[in-house]
Amino acid sequence: QVQLVESGGGSVQAGESLRLSCAVSGVTASSYCMGWFRQAPGKKREGVSALFIYPGGTNVYDVDSIKGRFGISLDNAKTTMYLEMNELAPEDTAMYYCAAGRGYCGNTWSSRADEFPNWGQGTQVTVSS
């Protein structure tokens, strides 16, 4: 049974940085997509950044709104996934979720949260101007 636990959220001012962590356990598949989503009040849950993890390595997928500011990574043991968030802005305010279990990322991952079977409880990020 896959379990995901997010941590690292908090309240910061615009321009500051945060690093989110996702503790991962129970994954048995050798190739799968795992990433970060966020959801602000009244808005649809959207993908932020993801990794396609396979025996040969990892491929990074991200969205235009965070390119150059956020960085996703995975530790060598594949037990912790990180999201380094730099140059935070008020529009980044949201609940951030770790998700896993989709068999692939591809071009559609960020808009198909429904296809990820495994989710954490989320960690709140609030950015003040």
Side-chain angles (χ1 to χ4, degrees), residues 90-112:
E91 54 263 39
D92 296 316
T93 295
M95 184 72 76
Y96 283 71
Y97 298 91
C98 180
R102 196 192 198 211
Y104 66 103
C105 293
N107 296 325
T108 63
W109 76 271
S110 62
S111 62
R112 297 307 304 268

Side-chain angles (χ1 to χ4, degrees), residues 4-110:
L4 307 171
V5 181
E6 303 95 335
S7 63
S11 298
V12 298
Q13 294 187 343
E16 296 298 314
S17 299
L18 283 173
R19 187 178 71 168
L20 307 183
S21 298
C22 174
V24 183
S25 64
V27 176
T28 58
S30 59
S31 300
Y32 57 96
C33 186
M34 179 167 64
W36 292 93
F37 289 77
R38 66 185 181 186
Q39 187 168 24
K43 295 186 177 181
K44 184 180 179 180
R45 188 170 298 187
E46 62 177 358
V48 178
S49 188
L51 296 169
F52 178 63
I53 302 164
Y54 61 103
T58 59
N59 294 334
V60 177
Y61 296 78
D62 55 21
V63 297
D64 290 341
S65 63
I66 61 92
K67 283 185 177 178
R69 298 192 299 127
F70 294 3
I72 192 169
S73 62
L74 186 70
D75 70 346
N76 291 333
K78 300 181 180 180
T79 56
T80 307
M81 182 174 67
Y82 301 96
L83 184 67
E84 182 71 31
M85 308 168 67
N86 301 307
E87 301 176 16
L88 284 164
E91 54 263 39
D92 296 316
T93 295
M95 184 72 76
Y96 283 71
Y97 298 91
C98 180
R102 196 192 198 211
Y104 66 103
C105 293
N107 296 325
T108 63
W109 76 271
S110 62

